[in-house]
Amino acid sequence: MATFGLWYFKWNDSSYESRLKLTLGGGTATVQDFKNRGFDYAVAVGRGGEHIEYSGNGYHDGRNFAEKVLNEYLSNIPYYATIPYYKYQSLSEPRDNPSGDGKYWSDWIDGILSIAGSNLRGFYWSQESAWMIHDGLITLEILEVLSTKINDYGLKFIWIPHARTKERDNTDDIVRITGASPPEAIQ
């Protein structure tokens, strides 16, 4: 079975730095350290986008992320690139109009694709709220457009929803959250 690990990066107003540190001896972890921990794939993320450069130009931001993170840090491991939801230094403002056409996010994908290496396996949607569509944080139509675009390149679009919260009743009920049919019971 393939194993995926989230590898966090942070924009420091001029460049990206890895937030993956070695526990013993300090220093920044390498791809080999990541592989030694049993991960087959890296998912390059930045805390929902809060730690990802935001200039307002999705193509520029995506291309810079690919150049500085994907090509420099992750060139020796298959990876998924984040699609950052939030603006830099904000966990409340989306990068695009969540009910609009998704242009910033579509341009981000184009920027990544313009220079991403052959280890790119797909994209990871960084808004982890399972309630994002229900709460109006994003429209299903934008996600469908982005997913189709990514799949048309032969790549995968992944999302790891975080559903449980103390602020809302029944958040461990994925059927209620998504409207999906319940899975068959495992015998």
Side-chain angles (χ1 to χ4, degrees):
M1 176 172 68
T3 55
F4 295 77
L6 300 178
W7 189 323
Y8 285 88
F9 292 89
K10 184 175 184 177
W11 177 250
N12 65 18
D13 292 324
S14 63
S15 190
Y16 282 98
E17 56 190 53
S18 172
R19 297 192 65 216
L20 186 60
K21 305 296 181 190
L22 294 172
T23 53
L24 298 174
T28 302
T30 66
V31 166
Q32 192 56 52
D33 296 319
F34 199 70
K35 288 178 178 180
N36 289 345
R37 285 170 173 76
F39 295 110
D40 302 313
Y41 296 88
V43 182
V45 294
R47 195 170 175 220
E50 177 193 20
H51 293 158
I52 303 293
E53 174 189 22
Y54 178 75
S55 70
N57 180 320
Y59 185 87
H60 167 272
D61 295 347
R63 185 174 171 90
N64 196 38
F65 185 79
E67 180 182 1
K68 303 290 187 200
V69 171
L70 306 178
N71 290 347
E72 287 184 21
Y73 286 97
L74 304 179
S75 62
N76 296 319
I77 190 170
Y79 60 79
Y80 288 77
T82 190
I83 300 174
Y85 181 78
Y86 291 110
K87 288 183 180 177
Y88 176 57
Q89 296 184 333
S90 170
L91 278 177
S92 62
E93 297 176 80
R95 290 176 177 244
D96 203 340
N97 178 350
S99 61
D101 62 3
K103 180 169 175 25
Y104 177 91
W105 294 307
S106 181
D107 289 350
W108 169 274
I109 293 166
D110 290 337
I112 296 278
L113 291 171
S114 72
I115 62 169
S118 61
N119 281 333
L120 177 66
R121 298 298 189 263
F123 289 85
Y124 171 72
W125 180 250
S126 71
Q127 175 50 292
E128 295 174 350
S129 171
W131 291 92
M132 66 183 175
I133 294 167
H134 178 272
D135 288 350
L137 297 176
I138 190 85
T139 65
L140 184 58
E141 291 78 20
I142 289 176
L143 291 180
E144 288 172 346
V145 165
L146 297 177
S147 179
T148 298
K149 177 180 188 131
I150 291 164
N151 294 160
D152 285 349
Y153 281 99
L155 301 169
K156 295 187 186 226
F157 180 62
I158 61 174
W159 169 52
I160 306 169
H162 178 270
R164 191 169 206 126
T165 178
K166 293 179 180 181
E167 290 88 35
R168 190 172 281 186
D169 292 335
N170 302 315
T171 56
D172 55 350
D173 183 354
I174 199 69
V175 174
R176 183 172 175 272
I177 294 168
T178 64
S181 299
E184 294 294 321
I186 298 174
Q187 302 286 329

